[in-house]
Amino acid sequence: MPSANGTREITYVEAVREALTQSMQADERVFLIGEDIGVYGGAFGVSAGMHAEFGGERVIDTPISEAAIVGACVGAALTGMRPVGEIQFMDFITLGMEQLVLQAAKVRFMFGGKATVPMVLRTPGGSGTGAAAQHSESLETWFTHVPGLKVVMPSTPYDAKGLLMAAIQDENPVIFVEHKLLYKVSGPVPEEPYTIPLGEPNIVREGKHLTVVATSIMVQRAKQAAEELAKEGIEIEIVDPRTLNPFDDSLMIQSVVKTGKALVVHEAVKTSGYGAELVSRIVESEAFDYLDAPVRRLAGLDIPIPYNRNLEYHAVPQVENIVAEARKLVRGEY
Amino acid sequence: MAKSKNAQTSQPAAKRKLSDKQLHDMLYTMMLIRRFEEKALDLYSLGKVHGTMHLSIGQEATAVGASGALTQQDYLLNTHRGHGHCLAWGSQADLMMAEFMGKETGYCRGRGGSMHIANVDANNLGANGIVAGGLPISVGVGLSIRARNTEQVVMVVFGDGASNEGAFHESINMASIWSLPVIFLCENNQYAMSMPVEKSMNIDRISDRAAAYGIEGVTVDGNDVEAVYAAVHNARQRAVAGKGPTLIECNTYRYMGHSKSDRQAYRTRDEVKTWMDKDPIERLAGHLGLSKDDKDSLFKKAEAEIEKAVEFAEASPEPDVADIMEGVYA
């Protein structure tokens, strides 16, 4: 894949749009389907201008019918197309769960491996927009609990483009979780099409004192925390799984072997969150013998996302929380 | 008697004439379905299969009439009560029986069982264990057909119970607004497990719901193979002409319980007998003027085919536990 260095910078939302556009230009089987994705351009502007470029047959506006949107993706994928569905807010995926969990994820296995369901379901998750409890959830862990689904969560514009192009080319149903607060974040993204293999994590920053495993927007916050911590002489290593499931954990485990300490950070609520899976993998591995501190989780509080700006801010990990928790672990103040 | 049982009067306009040869073939397939399911029941009683099964004995005319009106290029999505649809679609009894017995040689390598028989290579996109689960998928198949610009249709089969699911509403509405080539075939067998149709909806005909979506709706006698054939034939013509989906309600009846655990406390023996008097196989055999001997010999032929299927299935290997993870991801 091309390097991100020395290329132009675009935003995360532009990177997602570029991945969709280039995939549709390269493969006429790819089409988009979802609510308000046409002339409106999508609730977050992801598909802005794409209806004009590709027309209503390939950028399909739907009624508000999430079960049928997901089912339409399953049926089209089973019969030779490569649909990319959009669920307007991740919370609304609850209305399409049956088609996603009982159909998309299981059809291939139930049919003895004789069917393929190459579909992508994109959806924006996360809090920080003041949209309160029904438009701010981070539900990605649910889907990691369903064999047959792949779950991808890009944290940078570069990853967003490469992972989405890979997801569209993948033969399996992929849940592609974008973050609303990342849409306006800029970063270097090569203009040419490229893919990042699903399942491969990324060492975002190298360090020796502590391994921080973070997902989605928490990768950005961990990077900011790393700058603060570096001023105190604490160098954290940041691992971004990028694909939550299936996930090759060997890089993460090697990192913990090196640092001897681990902190897992995600926005979703703590109880039974993805962090529990990451911590389990660390303590079940050879890294156990190298641990010289408890493995800790920093995650969203076990509450729905509140409306009030200050309460919302305190519901999920912020940079200062990561700094404080990392400092405690490194200094042995736990 | 349920209200809907008296509502078998709405016939499609053009009742296409089938040749005696075609009707003979259909009769044989109906007999094959019946013997397949009776054998399935035997095997269950003998402990040779496990789990559960949903038998469609009594509903054979709907499966055979509907599939008969479609082509090999068309698509099928069906239900947990799906053995009949599969056989009517041309699936092999031996590969189905092997699947039923959980064998590696079965259509789904023993991973699906009775409730998930599929044959994707033959455009049979599978039986579905979730009531109304196939309807949203049919919308996507319709979109795919339109995108590929082929003269195909997709038929999705579901029961009366499915028409009370939200997925029914979302799917028919979507197929209607885009005029997709989808045939919504409702097998109204009068009960959703134990819930009678007249207690689960406040209308006489499920096909009346078509009006709410601006599509054609017809109710036919589901025990009349020719009536079912004609309705699906007309729906197919409309679909390939770009005139959109049709909702067809086929009134029929299952003689057996919902599944293996059903003690049938919700209906009377008299009611079952009333429907057995309208048996679709007897009716077609009578229509064709078959003698008792003719009929017996056709049933014998079906029994022989089923016996061979059982022999094949019993001789087939079990799946290897070493392969248990296969098929989760492509």
Side-chain angles (χ1 to χ4, degrees):
Chain A
M1 73 199 77
S3 161
N5 298 328
T7 61
R8 79 211 152 128
E9 292 211 346
I10 59 173
T11 61
Y12 187 98
V13 72
E14 289 166 339
V16 172
R17 188 184 308 133
E18 191 163 273
L20 294 171
T21 300
Q22 291 180 349
S23 297
M24 289 176 74
Q25 286 165 346
D27 186 345
E28 63 180 15
R29 299 172 301 172
V30 180
F31 70 91
L32 310 186
I33 182 167
E35 295 159 7
D36 310 300
I37 65 169
V39 174
Y40 192 100
F44 293 90
V46 170
S47 53
M50 292 186 69
H51 185 270
E53 179 174 354
F54 295 103
E57 293 285 312
R58 293 186 74 195
V59 180
I60 304 173
D61 263 328
T62 70
I64 302 172
S65 301
E66 285 80 7
I69 292 169
V70 180
C73 290
V74 177
L78 270 172
T79 53
M81 303 297 288
R82 291 191 171 263
V84 182
E86 176 176 300
I87 298 294
Q88 196 167 72
F89 285 78
M90 188 172 209
D91 316 68
F92 306 166
I93 216 160
T94 50
L95 295 150
M97 282 299 263
E98 183 275 317
Q99 286 292 309
L100 185 57
V101 173
L102 301 178
Q103 311 295 339
K106 292 179 173 58
V107 161
R108 180 177 177 79
F109 186 85
M110 285 193 310
F111 295 172
K114 296 177 185 174
T116 52
V117 188
M119 60 176 271
V120 178
L121 206 57
R122 292 180 36 252
T123 190
S127 66
T129 63
Q134 296 173 335
H135 292 72
S136 302
E137 287 184 283
S138 300
L139 303 174
E140 60 275 5
T141 317
W142 288 358
F143 307 107
T144 65
H145 205 64
V146 181
L149 298 180
K150 293 189 175 183
V151 184
V152 177
M153 270 188 113
S155 65
T156 66
Y158 178 83
D159 285 354
K161 180 176 173 183
L163 289 168
L164 183 52
M165 294 201 77
I168 292 170
Q169 291 170 27
D170 200 271
E171 296 296 332
N172 300 284
V174 180
I175 313 303
F176 194 85
V177 186
E178 297 156 14
H179 198 292
K180 291 160 218 153
L181 296 188
L182 289 176
Y183 277 140
K184 289 179 182 167
V185 170
S186 292
V189 178
E191 286 182 41
E192 67 267 34
Y194 63 96
T195 58
I196 297 172
L198 303 188
E200 289 185 9
N202 185 31
I203 305 287
V204 176
R205 182 187 194 276
E206 293 194 4
K208 59 186 176 185
H209 296 119
L210 168 71
T211 298
V212 173
V213 192
T215 59
S216 188
I217 195 165
M218 292 303 153
V219 177
Q220 300 283 353
R221 291 185 187 161
K223 282 196 273 195
Q224 292 171 50
E227 289 173 23
E228 293 293 312
L229 291 160
K231 293 175 193 162
E232 304 171 19
I234 296 173
E235 297 295 337
I236 64 170
E237 180 147 303
I238 303 172
V239 180
D240 177 1
R242 297 196 290 198
T243 303
L244 272 50
N245 194 43
F247 162 55
D248 178 357
D249 56 23
S250 55
L251 266 183
M252 173 182 76
I253 288 164
Q254 286 162 24
S255 174
V256 180
V257 166
K258 182 175 83 175
T259 64
K261 295 186 170 109
L263 172 65
V264 171
V265 191
H266 59 64
E267 175 168 344
V269 297
K270 188 172 189 178
T271 300
S272 300
Y274 187 64
E277 174 67 22
L278 292 174
V279 172
S280 300
R281 293 205 191 196
I282 291 168
V283 299
E284 284 176 339
S285 76
E286 68 269 26
F288 180 78
D289 286 336
Y290 296 83
L291 289 173
D292 44 11
V295 182
R296 284 274 168 86
R297 290 177 290 164
L298 194 54
L301 299 178
D302 287 332
I303 58 170
I305 297 297
Y307 168 65
N308 173 276
R309 192 192 297 268
N310 197 37
L311 294 181
E312 183 186 33
Y313 183 85
H314 284 94
V316 302
Q318 303 295 342
V319 175
E320 58 269 28
N321 305 119
I322 301 173
V323 169
E325 195 67 24
R327 192 187 284 139
K328 277 196 266 182
L329 281 172
V330 171
R331 291 185 181 168
E333 296 166 352
Y334 38 83
Chain B
M1 295 271 284
K3 286 186 274 189
S4 52
K5 287 168 202 161
N6 297 322
Q8 298 183 351
T9 49
S10 168
Q11 298 288 343
K15 192 161 174 177
R16 191 183 156 89
K17 186 83 182 139
L18 287 160
S19 71
D20 277 3
K21 166 78 170 70
Q22 285 172 305
L23 289 172
H24 259 102
D25 289 348
M26 287 181 159
L27 177 64
Y28 178 72
T29 306
M30 288 162 67
M31 289 174 162
L32 190 70
I33 293 168
R34 184 156 300 183
R35 289 295 184 256
F36 182 96
E37 297 211 303
E38 287 167 352
K39 179 56 76 175
L41 195 57
D42 285 350
L43 293 169
Y44 185 88
S45 305
L46 293 169
K48 291 189 178 181
V49 290
H50 75 159
T52 190
M53 66 183 122
H54 307 85
L55 302 175
S56 66
I57 294 172
Q59 303 182 191
E60 295 90 346
T62 296
V64 172
S67 284
L70 302 180
T71 75
Q72 296 201 318
Q73 282 71 49
D74 294 331
Y75 291 100
L76 172 72
L77 288 154
N78 65 311
T79 71
H80 57 287
R81 200 176 305 287
H83 303 150
H85 312 131
C86 285
L87 285 165
W89 197 254
S91 300
Q92 289 176 234
D94 53 355
L95 303 186
M96 283 178 62
M97 196 62 84
E99 185 59 33
F100 189 60
M101 294 176 75
K103 298 300 183 78
E104 181 69 24
T105 54
Y107 270 117
C108 303
R109 301 179 62 204
R111 272 70 167 177
S114 163
M115 234 188 305
H116 303 298
I117 294 177
N119 183 10
V120 176
D121 291 340
N123 290 359
N124 173 359
L125 302 179
N128 208 306
I130 304 301
V131 169
L135 281 99
I137 299 173
S138 74
V139 175
V141 180
L143 276 176
S144 166
I145 292 168
R146 197 174 66 179
R148 289 183 282 111
N149 198 22
T150 57
E151 282 220 347
Q152 297 168 290
V153 302
V154 53
M155 178 172 75
V156 57
V157 186
F158 52 94
D160 43 283
S163 74
N164 291 326
E165 287 277 11
F168 170 90
H169 169 76
E170 289 190 19
S171 304
I172 299 187
N173 183 59
M174 225 181 244
S176 170
I177 57 172
W178 297 330
S179 294
L180 296 180
V182 184
I183 298 170
F184 293 98
L185 191 90
C186 179
E187 286 180 314
N188 179 355
N189 67 9
Q190 316 306 324
Y191 292 94
M193 202 158 150
S194 70
M195 173 62 95
V197 169
E198 69 268 22
K199 287 187 181 172
S200 71
M201 59 186 78
N202 217 354
I203 51 175
D204 290 334
R205 298 181 192 176
I206 291 171
S207 65
D208 288 348
R209 292 186 166 172
Y213 308 105
I215 66 166
E216 286 286 310
V218 292
T219 294
V220 297
D221 179 350
N223 282 7
D224 177 350
V225 74
E226 290 179 277
V228 175
Y229 176 92
V232 175
H233 176 81
N234 292 344
R236 190 182 190 284
Q237 283 192 321
R238 288 178 49 75
V240 295
K243 292 179 180 170
T246 305
L247 173 60
I248 302 170
E249 175 189 19
C250 299
N251 273 307
T252 184
Y253 199 80
R254 61 168 156 77
Y255 299 166
M256 315 303 287
H258 162 74
S259 66
K260 284 309 300 161
S261 58
D262 182 358
R263 285 175 290 119
Q264 303 182 56
Y266 50 85
R267 64 184 187 183
T268 64
R269 283 173 199 277
D270 281 351
E271 181 184 297
V272 179
K273 187 179 176 307
T274 307
W275 277 90
M276 284 179 160
D277 291 342
K278 298 187 274 190
D279 184 77
I281 292 177
E282 290 301 324
R283 194 158 147 186
L284 180 53
H287 174 73
L288 285 168
L290 295 194
S291 69
K292 186 174 180 308
D293 284 351
D294 291 341
K295 215 170 59 185
D296 287 350
S297 81
L298 259 189
F299 262 129
K300 284 249 173 341
K301 188 179 156 201
E303 281 158 28
E305 188 173 340
I306 298 302
E307 282 309 324
K308 277 177 72 177
V310 173
E311 283 170 30
F312 169 81
E314 288 193 316
S316 290
E318 294 272 331
D320 189 337
V321 177
D323 299 334
I324 196 169
M325 297 301 290
E326 283 182 11
V328 180
Y329 292 101

